[in-house]
């Protein structure tokens, strides 16, 4: 367990060993665990799995849930020990950011739409912290979940554009039995909201099964289905290319149907690949 940059620098990856990083904000659930296991598979027995746990203030917009975001430190530590994680980096915000910091990393194309449109500055915060984590932990590869598909695409673009020597490994979305994607934010849902939340996955699956190819018609059906849940309020529902995240009018190979839905104040995201 490492909390400071000085200590981290004193423990660089051992020569010849692959280090695979799993960046997280903690409140670790089975989705995170699947990424840790994927990291282990890529690291091999001799390699190192590193997990960072950092609730990054830069990626929370003003007025969002930064202060109430769950931080179950003892439980997270237990998960990391059970999974045989080699290095856990859990810094404080003061350790990560100088009070007068004035440099950030921004991707400007893929970040414009979807979650970027609803959460201004969010992906700048993500790119900045991931850059710092890559510099600090010096991983050979890093694992990111497909649940946050836009984040994955933006990190890939950043790594390509800025020549980070880090391989990006995608991890499939882990779900509850009823289809709801696991998220640390699911614990904010009331009983009624939780009961309705699986409508998101149902709407995406229905869209994947239809013969329809028109984006407009598919999105209308997705919206109608989700809005049939009385507590759901759609933030966005879009059909985009999975790599460029630009809108598509019809389904083509690697089209991504992505949605964000509010249940009360809790915003849930999910996506499915079509075509
Ligand atoms: P977070 O702690 O929410 O910032 O997520 C840390 C990493 O776990 C990100 O790469 C997420 O995409 C990934 N992740 C979150 N939820 C899931 C899930 N249900 N299945 C797979 N990966 C996930």
């Amino acid at each position: 367990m490492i909390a400071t940059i000085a200590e981290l620098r004193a423990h660089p990856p051992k020569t010849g060993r692959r280090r695979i990083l799993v960046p997280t904000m903690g409140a670790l659930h089975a989705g995170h665990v699947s990424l840790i296991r994927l990291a282990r598979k890529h690291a091999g027995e001799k390699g190192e799995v590193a997990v960072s746990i950092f609730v990054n203030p830069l990626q929370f917009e003003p007025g969002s849930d930064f202060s109430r975001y769950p931080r179950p430190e003892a439980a997270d530590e237990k998960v990391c020990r059970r999974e045989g994680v080699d290095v856990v980096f859990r810094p404080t915000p003061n350790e990560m950011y100088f009070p007068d910091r004035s440099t950030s990393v921004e991707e400007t194309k893929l970040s414009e739409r979807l979650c970027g449109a609803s959460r201004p500055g969010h992906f700048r915060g993500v790119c900045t912290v991931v850059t710092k984590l890559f510099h600090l932990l010096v991983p050979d590869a890093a694992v990111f979940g497909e649940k946050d598909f836009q984040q994955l695409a933006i990190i890939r673009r950043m790594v390509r554009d800025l020549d980070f020597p880090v391989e990006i490994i995608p991890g499939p979305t882990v779900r509850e039995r009823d289809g709801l994607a696991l998220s640390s934010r699911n614990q904010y849902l009331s009983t009624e909201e939780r009961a309705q939340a699986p409508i998101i996955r149902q709407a995406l699956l229905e869209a994947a099964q239809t013969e329809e190819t028109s984006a407009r018609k598919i999105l209308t059906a997705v919206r109608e289905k989700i809005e049939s849940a009385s507590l759901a309020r759609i933030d966005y529902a879009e059909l985009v290319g999975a790599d460029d995240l630009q809108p598509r009018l019809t389904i083509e190979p690697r089209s991504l149907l992505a949605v964000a839905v509010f249940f009360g104040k809790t915003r849930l995201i999910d996506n499915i690949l079509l075509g």
Side-chain angles (χ1 to χ4, degrees):
M1 299 292 307
I2 294 181
T4 66
I5 289 173
E7 232 186 308
L8 198 57
R9 291 239 151 99
H11 293 87
K14 298 196 181 72
T15 325
R17 291 199 178 176
R18 263 169 87 70
R19 178 181 276 181
I20 317 287
L21 172 66
V22 183
T24 81
M25 299 204 298
L28 301 178
H29 52 61
H32 298 115
V33 169
S34 78
L35 302 189
I36 292 171
R37 293 182 182 169
L38 188 59
R40 171 60 64 198
K41 227 171 78 187
H42 282 263
E45 276 191 17
K46 290 202 175 129
E48 287 181 3
V49 174
V51 171
S52 60
I53 297 180
F54 181 56
V55 185
N56 174 29
L58 298 193
Q59 69 191 70
F60 286 76
E61 321 80 272
S64 65
D65 58 344
F66 175 70
S67 51
R68 71 184 178 115
Y69 196 85
R71 293 166 173 86
E73 296 191 355
D76 284 351
E77 217 172 303
K78 213 167 139 187
V79 170
C80 290
R81 287 188 196 285
R82 189 192 68 207
E83 294 301 321
V85 172
D86 299 286
V87 181
V88 178
F89 179 50
R90 191 165 57 185
T92 60
N94 286 342
E95 183 69 19
M96 286 293 271
Y97 297 120
F98 288 92
D100 63 345
R101 54 163 218 98
S102 51
T103 308
S104 53
V105 180
E106 188 169 19
E107 190 287 327
T108 55
K109 183 74 179 167
L110 311 185
S111 307
E112 281 177 349
R113 314 182 58 81
L114 308 171
C115 293
S118 333
R119 305 183 66 185
H122 169 69
F123 288 115
R124 186 171 55 235
V126 170
C127 287
T128 302
V129 79
V130 170
T131 295
K132 284 173 68 77
L133 292 170
F134 284 0
H135 287 321
L136 291 168
L137 285 133
V138 211
D140 297 282
V143 185
F144 289 86
E146 287 175 341
K147 192 196 70 125
D148 300 275
F149 205 97
Q150 186 175 18
Q151 170 172 280
L152 173 62
I154 290 169
I155 296 294
R156 281 194 158 128
R157 176 65 61 94
M158 177 185 87
V159 161
R160 185 199 75 176
D161 287 352
L162 300 184
D163 306 296
F164 282 93
V166 181
E167 180 196 350
I168 302 302
I169 302 167
T173 302
V174 176
R175 300 176 179 282
E176 302 281 4
R177 275 163 176 251
D178 59 14
L180 177 64
L182 293 188
S183 163
S184 309
R185 290 190 167 100
N186 290 352
Q187 54 190 282
Y188 299 153
L189 297 170
S190 70
T191 312
E192 278 182 317
E193 289 164 354
R194 174 64 189 83
Q196 293 189 10
I199 195 86
I200 298 174
R201 173 67 170 168
Q202 289 159 18
L204 296 182
L205 284 177
E206 275 182 18
Q209 279 152 12
T210 122
E211 301 282 297
E212 185 54 62
T213 57
S214 141
R216 193 177 51 78
K217 288 186 183 158
I218 290 173
L219 293 174
T220 302
V222 166
R223 287 199 183 93
E224 278 174 6
K225 174 86 183 181
I226 293 175
E227 280 165 354
S228 73
S230 60
L231 301 173
R233 186 166 56 81
I234 295 177
D235 180 21
Y236 66 73
E238 288 197 45
L239 186 77
V240 297
D243 301 304
D244 65 5
L245 302 185
Q246 300 307 302
R248 295 286 185 270
L249 296 177
T250 55
I251 298 205
E252 301 165 16
R254 280 185 66 70
S255 299
L256 184 81
L257 175 55
V259 299
V261 180
F262 279 103
F263 281 89
K265 281 189 184 158
T266 308
R267 188 170 166 283
L268 304 177
I269 58 170
D270 205 343
N271 63 77
I272 196 164
L273 270 175
L274 308 177

